[in-house]
Amino acid sequence: LPIFRASAVEETETEISGKLGTKLAWSIDKASKTLTIDNKGLMISFSTTEAPWKNYKSYFDAVVINDGCANVGAGAFSGCENIVSVDLPSSISTIDDSAFYGCGLKTIEIPYGVKTINSSSFSFCRNLETVKLAYGVTTIGSYAFEYCINLININIPDSVDVLGSAAFRNCIRLENIKISDSVGHLGSYTFADCVSLSNVLLGSRIKTIGNNAFAGCKNLSVISMPYFCGKISMSAFAGCSNLSQV
């Protein structure tokens, strides 16, 4: 694998800036507290190396990624709890593992062009309340929104055909969910411990519901599922003590 070395960071009274390799340049405007990233093509993964802007995370609370970037690299902003807003371009197709893990976001808008939200991309974003997904997203990976304890609103567009295991586990304020007709399988723990979840509408193509998919959803009272659902795991609704209508 190629080794990417950060160039020397430059700091002035108004700005902090640097480069990573030949394609990525970043700058922090101190006045607006905005980190801007220019990256042509694929952003590298930060799963084994620290993103250089993290040393200055107290200087920014907003992120703008300019058009031309193809993905948000793994771990790029993980642990940046000060981040409250992110502007993603339509050139992004993938949000990689743990990209925004533990950020302070309240809302996020996923633009048209994004197809894959990978594992743990937004896990433990404890302030996240609203997620807007554009049509075109096909995959919401395992643990993608796990422990987003203030998540209230999320639309799952009909383009989504994969919902990973524990994708929304412990989203304790989520009340209603509609699964798109494209989804054929709900993985293990997909909505486990979503204690406020009361109403679920499953899409017409659901064939299997995995282990503990809705376990611990103690306020779940109504779930609408297709006439034919091939396999429902015995523990799929464990602890759903108020479930009265299927």
Side-chain angles (χ1 to χ4, degrees):
L1 294 174
I3 297 173
F4 293 90
R5 291 188 174 87
S7 64
V9 173
E10 297 182 3
E11 182 170 0
T12 67
E13 289 185 4
T14 60
E15 184 180 81
I16 304 169
S17 62
K19 292 184 178 181
L20 193 63
T22 59
K23 295 191 298 182
L24 188 153
W26 59 276
S27 63
I28 298 170
D29 182 87
K30 293 180 179 179
S32 65
K33 300 197 74 173
T34 299
L35 167 65
T36 301
I37 294 177
D38 281 301
N39 189 90
K40 303 303 180 186
L42 288 173
M43 185 186 295
I44 69 166
S45 169
F46 297 100
S47 59
T48 59
T49 186
E50 193 84 321
W53 46 81
K54 287 188 181 179
N55 293 324
Y56 305 93
K57 63 183 183 181
S58 63
Y59 285 89
F60 64 91
D61 57 21
V63 174
V64 175
I65 300 177
N66 287 335
D67 193 50
C69 188
N71 67 311
V72 182
F77 305 102
S78 64
C80 292
E81 62 278 356
N82 291 337
I83 295 177
V84 295
S85 71
V86 173
D87 187 359
L88 300 175
S90 59
S91 58
I92 296 281
S93 63
T94 304
I95 300 174
D96 291 334
D97 295 355
S98 302
F100 295 101
Y101 183 102
C103 286
L105 293 165
K106 290 187 176 180
T107 65
I108 184 69
E109 185 168 350
I110 308 298
Y112 179 80
V114 173
K115 299 195 177 299
T116 302
I117 299 171
N118 274 327
S119 177
S120 301
S121 293
F122 295 94
S123 315
F124 288 87
C125 289
R126 297 181 184 273
N127 295 325
L128 188 61
E129 296 179 358
T130 300
V131 177
K132 298 178 182 179
L133 300 176
Y135 185 87
V137 174
T138 61
T139 299
I140 298 176
S142 299
Y143 317 106
F145 295 95
E146 184 185 33
Y147 282 91
C148 291
I149 58 174
N150 278 300
L151 182 62
I152 301 171
N153 301 304
I154 183 167
N155 66 302
I156 299 179
D158 289 341
S159 55
V160 172
D161 55 23
V162 175
L163 278 178
S165 299
F168 295 95
R169 184 176 185 175
N170 244 95
C171 292
I172 60 175
R173 293 189 66 193
L174 193 63
E175 295 182 359
N176 301 288
I177 200 75
K178 178 181 180 295
I179 309 299
S180 79
D181 287 338
S182 300
V183 176
H185 170 72
L186 285 185
S188 301
Y189 298 93
T190 305
F191 294 98
D193 300 315
C194 292
V195 294
S196 297
L197 193 63
S198 61
N199 196 330
V200 174
L201 177 60
L202 297 178
S204 61
R205 295 184 183 178
I206 287 287
K207 296 295 185 289
T208 59
I209 299 176
N211 294 331
N212 299 293
F214 294 95
C217 295
K218 61 183 181 181
N219 282 315
L220 182 61
S221 58
V222 177
I223 183 163
S224 302
M225 61 176 60
Y227 178 76
F228 177 77
C229 185
K231 179 182 178 182
I232 301 176
S233 298
M234 289 185 64
S235 58
F237 297 98
C240 296
S241 53
N242 284 315
L243 187 58
S244 60
Q245 183 177 338
V246 178

